[in-house]
Amino acid sequence: MGFKNFCFKKSLWVFHFGGASCNNCDIEILDCLTPKHDLERFGILLVGSIRHADVLLVNGSINMKDKNRLLEIYNQAPRPILVVAIGACGCTGGLFADSITFAGPVDKIIPVDAYIPGCPPKPEAIIGGIVKLVNKK
Amino acid sequence: MAVNLFYFFVFPGLLFVAVTGAFLSWFDRKISARVQFRKGPPLLQPFYDFFKLLLVKETILPKQGSPMMFLMAPVFAVFGAVMAGVFILLPLFNITTGFKGDLLVIFYLLTIPSFSYIMGALASGNPLAAVGGSREMKLILSYEFTFLLVIAGIIMKCGQHFDLYTIIQTQQSGTPFIGSISGVLLFIVGIFCIQAKLAMVPFDMPEAEAEITEGIFIEYSGPAYGLIKLTKYIMLFILPAFLIALLMNGFRLNGINILWAVLKVLLVVLLITLIRNTNPRIKIKQAMSFFVIWMNLLAVFALVLIAFGY
Ligand code: SF4
C-alpha cells in the first residue's frame, strides 16, 4: 500500500470542471501552472479527459444545468478520484447562493475531499490546499 | 531460446528500453520546462506516472464498442514497440543477428504502435476518438512514404545492404553518412518523420488535448493507459536510436565512446523537444502537404544527390 500511495501522491493529474463561475477562479487555477508557481514540479498536470484524472477541481457556483453534468463527470471518473472545491462559490455558493438557478454547493452533489475558500483563492492558497489534501491521504 | 527471451525481456528488450525511454521522457519534459522558464518535474516522474496508472487507477470499459479490441490494442502497441526496439538495438550494441533484411522488418514494426492506437480508438466508440483515429490514419499515410524514402537513401548510400548491422559497420569503417550533403538532407527529413511518428507538437493533431481532449486516448484509463504511456516512452528512445544507427555512426562501446553514444541520443531528443516547443500545432491538411510535397521533394533530391555520389 505504501508504494502505491506514494506513486499516487507524486503524480496527481487534474481535471478542471468550471461551473457557472465568474471566471476569476479559472484564471487563478491556470495561474498555478504558469512559470511562477509551476505545479509540474510536484507532478501535477492538467489533463484533457476525465478518464485520465486523479483530482477533479470544481469551481464556480453549480446551477441547475451544471448539476447533471457534474454528476455525469464524477461518475465517469476512474476511481480513486479526489474532489476539490475551489472558491467561495464551490464551497458554499458564495455570491450566488441566493440565486434562483442555484442547485446547491458542490458537496451537496458529490463528496468533496478538500475545500479551498477565497474569492478567488490565491494560487498559493490553491497549492496549500493541494498539499494538505496530499498529506491527509 | 533462453537467450532470445533474455533479448526480448531484459537487455535490449522491454526492461532496458522502458527504463531508458522513461528517463528520456523526463529529459523531454525537463527541457520543455526550462524552455518555458519553469523548473520541471523530478527525475523519477515518468515512473511515478506509470506505476500510478498501473497499480492505483481502475480501467473503465466503454459501454458502446468492443471491449476486447479496446484492451488488446495497448498490448499490441507495447509488443510492436519492444520488437522494433530489439531489432534496432541488437545491431547498435554490436550483436549480430545474422538477419539480412531487418531494415524492412523494423520499418513495419515501427508502424504497429500507431495502428494499434487507431484500432483502440475506433473500438472505444467515442466520436472524438474516431476523429483522432482518422487524423492519425491520415498522418501515417503522409509520413510513411517519406520515411521509406529516407531508408531507401540509406540503402543506396551503403551499397544495397538491407541489414542494419552492415550499415553501422560501413559507417564506422568510413565516415558517418551525415557527413555529406545528402546525409544532412536525409537527417532533416528523418527528424520530421520521427516527430510525426511520436505525435509531438507540430504533428500532434491525433491527440490534440485542447481541441479533441486527447483524441485517440480519450477513453483509456488505468493500466491500459499505463501501457500506452509505456509505448510512448519506448518510442521516444528507439526512434532516435534508429536515426542514429542510420545516419550518425551508431554506438561504439569502448571507453570514451560510450559517452558519445549517450550524448548522441540526448542530442537527437533535444532537437525533437526544441522543435516541439517552438512550433504551434498545424492542421492535418497542412501536415499532409508538408510531407507529401515538401519532405518528399527534399528526400528525392537527396536520392538524386546520392546517385551522383555526393
Ligand atoms: S469564488 Fe469568487 S472568484 Fe471564484 S468563481 Fe465564485 S465569485 Fe468568482
Side-chain angles (χ1 to χ4, degrees), chain A residues 43-101:
Chain A
I44 297 180
L45 273 187
L46 200 62
V47 292
S49 159
I50 183 66
R51 297 274 199 240
H52 308 164
D54 307 305
V55 181
L56 176 59
L57 293 184
V58 187
N59 73 305
S61 79
I62 305 300
N63 60 25
M64 285 166 183
K65 287 221 160 156
D66 289 340
K67 189 179 166 187
N68 292 334
R69 291 173 189 163
L70 182 59
L71 264 178
E72 183 72 29
I73 291 269
Y74 183 71
N75 289 335
Q76 295 210 4
R79 303 296 184 261
I81 181 94
L82 303 170
V83 181
V84 180
I86 287 192
C89 289
C91 296
T92 64
L95 204 55
F96 304 106
D98 295 329
S99 143
I100 43 166
T101 55

Side-chain angles (χ1 to χ4, degrees), chain B residues 142-247:
Chain B
S142 38
Y143 69 66
E144 273 313 73
F145 181 64
T146 317
F147 199 51
L148 201 58
L149 282 183
V150 173
I151 292 180
I154 305 294
I155 292 172
M156 269 167 78
K157 246 174 148 22
C158 81
Q160 319 297 337
H161 283 296
F162 282 74
D163 61 323
L164 208 52
Y165 189 74
T166 322
I167 289 174
I168 294 170
Q169 293 306 321
T170 318
Q171 293 183 68
Q172 291 193 346
S173 53
T175 53
F177 289 156
I178 198 173
S180 57
I181 304 172
S182 53
V184 173
L185 291 183
L186 287 182
F187 183 78
I188 295 171
V189 179
I191 217 127
F192 281 115
C193 288
I194 285 188
Q195 195 89 11
K197 266 186 182 293
L198 291 170
M200 287 228 180
V201 160
F203 310 110
D204 75 329
M205 38 314 230
E207 51 197 83
E209 79 259 19
E211 196 188 327
I212 48 172
T213 62
E214 322 259 342
I216 38 183
F217 307 133
I218 184 167
E219 288 288 341
Y220 280 102
S221 61
Y225 191 53
L227 289 184
I228 287 178
K229 279 271 163 205
L230 186 67
T231 317
K232 298 224 138 198
Y233 297 162
I234 294 174
M235 294 300 270
L236 189 59
F237 175 44
I238 60 174
L239 284 171
F242 190 42
L243 199 65
I244 287 166
L246 289 182
L247 282 161

Side-chain angles (χ1 to χ4, degrees), chain A residues 11 38 40 51-52 54 80, chain B residues 29 38 49 52 57 219:
Chain A
S11 142
D38 186 23
E40 203 191 355
R51 297 274 199 240
H52 308 164
D54 307 305
Chain B
R29 281 171 70 176
R38 292 188 286 120
D49 289 350
K52 175 200 76 181
K57 302 297 282 184
E219 288 288 341

Side-chain angles (χ1 to χ4, degrees), chain B residues 19-226:
Chain B
V19 172
T20 323
F23 277 117
L24 286 176
S25 142
W26 167 79
F27 181 72
D28 169 59
R29 281 171 70 176
K30 188 83 180 172
I31 294 290
S32 316
R34 297 310 304 175
V35 170
Q36 299 161 0
F37 302 105
R38 292 188 286 120
K39 271 194 81 170
L43 179 60
L44 291 178
Q45 189 60 46
F47 297 95
Y48 300 145
D49 289 350
F50 176 67
F51 284 113
K52 175 200 76 181
L53 287 169
L54 194 68
L55 299 175
V56 183
K57 302 297 282 184
E58 67 168 347
T59 295
I60 298 179
L61 292 177
K63 199 161 142 199
Q64 269 102 34
S66 133
M68 192 64 196
M69 199 63 237
F70 180 73
L71 286 181
M72 286 313 284
V75 181
F76 287 150
V78 173
F79 175 78
V82 174
M83 276 313 273
V86 172
F87 276 117
I88 292 168
L89 292 180
L90 278 179
L92 262 178
F93 288 115
N94 278 336
I95 305 169
T96 168
T97 44
F99 179 13
K100 304 254 173 268
D102 53 356
L103 211 49
L104 296 176
V105 176
I106 291 169
F107 175 75
Y108 281 109
L109 284 175
L110 281 178
T111 59
I112 288 186
S114 311
F115 276 115
S116 1
Y117 295 159
I118 295 176
M119 286 194 292
L122 296 184
S124 75
N126 187 313
L128 290 181
V131 173
S134 84
R135 287 186 187 180
E136 173 92 38
M137 219 176 298
K138 283 177 197 147
L139 200 59
I140 292 180
L141 283 179
S142 38
Y143 69 66
E144 273 313 73
F145 181 64
T146 317
F147 199 51
L148 201 58
L149 282 183
V150 173
I151 292 180
I154 305 294
I155 292 172
M156 269 167 78
K157 246 174 148 22
C158 81
Q160 319 297 337
H161 283 296
F162 282 74
D163 61 323
L164 208 52
Y165 189 74
T166 322
I167 289 174
I168 294 170
Q169 293 306 321
T170 318
Q171 293 183 68
Q172 291 193 346
S173 53
T175 53
F177 289 156
I178 198 173
S180 57
I181 304 172
S182 53
V184 173
L185 291 183
L186 287 182
F187 183 78
I188 295 171
V189 179
I191 217 127
F192 281 115
C193 288
I194 285 188
Q195 195 89 11
K197 266 186 182 293
L198 291 170
M200 287 228 180
V201 160
F203 310 110
D204 75 329
M205 38 314 230
E207 51 197 83
E209 79 259 19
E211 196 188 327
I212 48 172
T213 62
E214 322 259 342
I216 38 183
F217 307 133
I218 184 167
E219 288 288 341
Y220 280 102
S221 61
Y225 191 53

Side-chain angles (χ1 to χ4, degrees), chain A residues 112-136:
Chain A
V112 173
D113 296 271
Y115 301 87
I116 303 176
C119 182
K122 283 179 150 191
E124 289 87 348
I126 297 178
I127 297 174
I130 299 226
V131 168
K132 273 194 187 142
L133 174 71
V134 162
N135 288 339
K136 190 183 86 175

